[in-house]
Amino acid sequence: ITGIEHAGQATYRVFLAAPCQGASDDIVLPADAVYVLGDNRCASLDSRRLGPVSFSEVEGKVLLRR
């Protein structure tokens, strides 16, 4: 993933070695969202299909803290 920020908006481009759906679309990521990618690139239901995920929708648990 490569990205640039211009006038407070971040734009990212996803590049993958294997061709997958939505692999090279430009994405404008809101400041309060994340772009999530699954580890099975072509079969993952992730931001390439669903779009950015709002911080308020992210759940997680810290398993290891250094």
Side-chain angles (χ1 to χ4, degrees), residues 4 7-8 11 18 27 30-32 36 46 48 52 57-58 63-65:
I4 58 168
T11 302
I27 300 141
D32 63 343
V36 295
D46 56 23
R48 287 170 292 181
E57 296 178 279
V58 175
L63 299 176
L64 177 66
R65 185 174 293 167

Side-chain angles (χ1 to χ4, degrees), residues 1 13-24 37-38 41-42 46 48:
I1 299 175
R13 179 162 274 198
V14 178
F15 295 95
L16 300 174
C20 296
Q21 179 181 355
S24 62
L37 295 172
R41 292 179 180 165
C42 293
D46 56 23
R48 287 170 292 181

